[in-house]
Amino acid sequence: EAIVTSEELGQDLEHVEVLQKKFEEFQTDLAAHEERVNEVNQFAGKLIQEQHPEEELIKSKQDEVNASWQRLKGLALQRQGKLFGAAEVQRFNRDVDETISWIKEKGQLMASDDFGRDLASVQALLRKHEGLERDLAALEDKVKALCAEADRLQQSHPINASQIQVKREELIANWEQIRTLAAERHARLNDSYRLQRFLADFRDLTSWVTEMKALINADELANDVAGAEALLDRHQEHKGEIDAHEDSFKSADESGQALLGAGHYASDEVKEKLTILSNERSALLELWELRRQQYEQCMDLQLFYRDTEQVDNWMSKQEAFLLNEDLGDSLDSVEALLKKHEDFEKSLSAQEEKIT
């Protein structure tokens, strides 16, 4: 009876399970003694049936034994119920403690001030954070289930209701805190990603501008018309590539302006980079225009040299014609020479127009 009337219900789940194991051993022993009680009742019945002279005493003792037995069994059921209830409460406490421990462990990760140093590291941190958020989404069902279990236990175990409510509130407080941390970190990582995306685009574009400037400056002026034409064609191809990058410049500018409009923490750096990018683009276009003018001047010069050479060659040939002392020795030959001279004069007029 001392076992079944004990008020000890355990300090934690492990302790309760030890008490339950001891109680199970007691129940096994109790079941073993039930046969003994049955034997006492059978023997008492036999004595009464035989009209034993101490029949009244026998009945009194039988009733006493049966009453004690039933009382013991009733107390055993109560003790079993109390231990079961204590196990439920302690199991709830353990589950809450484990959940809070997990939340705090993840909370330390989310409290990190590492938001990435470049685009690749930010993307890696975002993937890691999204994994943590998936874990949180899965944990939300468990938190809801524990809160529902707390409500049930408070109803079924009113004596423990206040302690259960404290645990419930502790769980909810930690849950709300980590959700806030997760949202804040996600926002900071997104800010960092947008910044690093902009800086990566900035580096790509400024690097391309440097390469394009070197390419535009690489060609030397041509020494003939064909070379000058090739230079102009190649220079126009460079303009096509510059035009093809206009969307990239526009996109980078829009990204930077969006960061400034959102009051990004790196607004000063973004503003500086936008100015540099705009200046680099303008400088590239100015360089291209300057070289275009130089190449066109080179083309004009080479065309002039070619035309001059052609006129010189023509005049050298015509000078030999004019120095010819053949004046003809007959009317036909003289007329033929006159015809040639008229052709020369026409050719001279045409060359004069070219020269002037």
Side-chain angles (χ1 to χ4, degrees):
E1 190 167 318
I3 294 175
V4 295
T5 56
S6 172
E7 294 298 325
E8 186 179 18
L9 296 175
Q11 302 301 315
D12 52 38
L13 183 60
E14 184 178 344
H15 190 190
V16 174
E17 288 174 344
V18 169
L19 293 176
Q20 283 181 316
K21 183 171 177 56
K22 287 182 179 179
F23 186 73
E24 286 171 2
E25 293 172 356
F26 164 76
Q27 285 181 308
T28 301
D29 188 46
L30 189 66
H33 280 78
E34 187 165 14
E35 183 62 30
R36 178 61 179 156
V37 173
N38 290 336
E39 289 175 358
V40 168
N41 280 319
Q42 288 174 5
F43 188 58
K46 180 183 177 184
L47 291 175
I48 292 170
Q49 188 177 7
E50 293 174 351
Q51 298 181 344
H52 192 281
E54 300 290 337
E55 180 178 343
E56 291 301 322
L57 180 60
I58 292 170
K59 283 182 179 181
S60 175
K61 287 293 185 183
Q62 182 184 18
D63 291 341
E64 185 181 333
V65 168
N66 285 332
S68 296
W69 178 249
Q70 291 303 320
R71 180 172 180 274
L72 185 61
K73 287 176 68 176
L75 290 171
L77 284 174
Q78 291 178 19
R79 176 66 177 167
Q80 185 179 34
K82 288 180 180 179
L83 286 173
F84 177 78
E88 281 190 316
V89 172
Q90 293 299 342
R91 189 173 294 108
F92 167 78
N93 289 338
R94 180 201 62 186
D95 291 346
V96 169
D97 288 341
E98 288 180 350
T99 303
I100 289 175
S101 176
W102 184 92
I103 288 174
K104 288 182 176 179
E105 178 185 338
K106 301 304 178 184
Q108 290 178 350
L109 296 176
M110 292 186 184
S112 170
D113 59 357
D114 180 12
F115 299 105
R117 300 168 305 282
D118 51 39
L119 188 59
S121 61
V122 174
Q123 288 173 323
L125 287 172
L126 268 172
R127 285 193 296 270
K128 184 178 180 180
H129 186 74
E130 286 165 358
L132 288 174
E133 287 183 323
R134 285 192 293 272
D135 292 342
L136 285 183
L139 184 67
E140 185 172 10
D141 291 338
K142 184 174 183 180
V143 171
K144 289 179 179 179
L146 285 171
C147 287
E149 178 70 358
D151 293 338
R152 186 188 71 81
L153 290 174
Q154 284 178 298
Q155 293 294 323
S156 59
H157 304 288
I159 193 172
N160 300 112
S162 60
Q163 180 266 321
I164 293 170
Q165 181 62 19
V166 169
K167 277 291 182 186
R168 185 178 188 275
E169 291 174 356
E170 184 183 1
L171 173 63
I172 292 174
N174 279 274
W175 172 245
E176 293 297 336
Q177 182 182 24
I178 197 170
R179 287 180 63 186
T180 301
L181 279 174
E184 290 174 350
R185 180 160 178 78
H186 202 155
R188 288 295 301 272
L189 284 172
N190 278 335
D191 284 346
S192 181
Y193 173 78
R194 289 192 299 153
L195 174 64
Q196 295 302 334
R197 176 75 273 173
F198 167 76
L199 292 177
D201 291 342
F202 168 81
R203 287 190 293 271
D204 289 344
L205 285 171
T206 51
S207 176
W208 174 81
V209 167
T210 300
E211 292 175 2
M212 186 55 64
K213 284 180 177 178
L215 201 59
I216 290 173
N217 279 320
D219 291 322
E220 295 183 359
L221 297 179
N223 295 318
D224 54 40
V225 173
E229 288 177 343
L231 278 178
L232 281 170
D233 289 343
R234 190 155 54 248
H235 194 59
Q236 196 57 43
E237 289 175 2
H238 296 334
K239 186 60 166 61
E241 187 173 351
I242 292 172
D243 291 342
H245 276 74
E246 277 302 302
D247 286 344
S248 297
F249 278 101
K250 183 179 178 182
S251 176
D253 183 71
E254 289 175 352
S255 297
Q257 294 299 337
L259 290 172
L260 295 179
H264 196 277
Y265 62 84
S267 290
D268 290 343
E269 182 182 5
V270 172
K271 192 180 296 183
E272 178 188 358
K273 294 292 190 287
L274 283 173
T275 301
I276 293 173
L277 198 59
S278 177
N279 291 341
E280 285 291 308
R281 176 180 172 277
S282 297
L284 177 62
L285 290 173
E286 289 171 5
L287 175 63
W288 184 88
E289 179 61 24
L290 175 64
R291 293 296 279 177
R292 183 192 65 78
Q293 293 175 6
Q294 291 175 344
Y295 291 152
E296 287 185 351
Q297 290 171 355
C298 177
M299 168 64 85
D300 292 341
L301 182 62
Q302 294 305 322
L303 286 172
F304 171 75
Y305 285 158
R306 184 193 65 182
D307 293 344
T308 302
E309 184 178 359
Q310 290 175 350
V311 170
D312 283 343
N313 290 337
W314 180 83
M315 287 192 296
S316 295
K317 291 179 182 178
Q318 299 308 317
E319 188 176 348
F321 169 73
L322 292 174
L323 292 175
N324 188 348
E325 296 181 356
D326 182 11
L327 299 176
D329 54 5
S330 65
L331 181 60
D332 290 339
S333 62
V334 171
E335 289 178 344
L337 288 172
L338 282 170
K339 181 67 172 65
K340 286 183 178 181
H341 194 76
E342 288 173 359
D343 291 342
F344 162 74
E345 288 181 335
K346 290 178 182 178
S347 178
L348 181 62
S349 297
Q351 292 296 327
E352 187 175 6
E353 289 179 5
K354 183 182 293 187
I355 293 171
T356 57

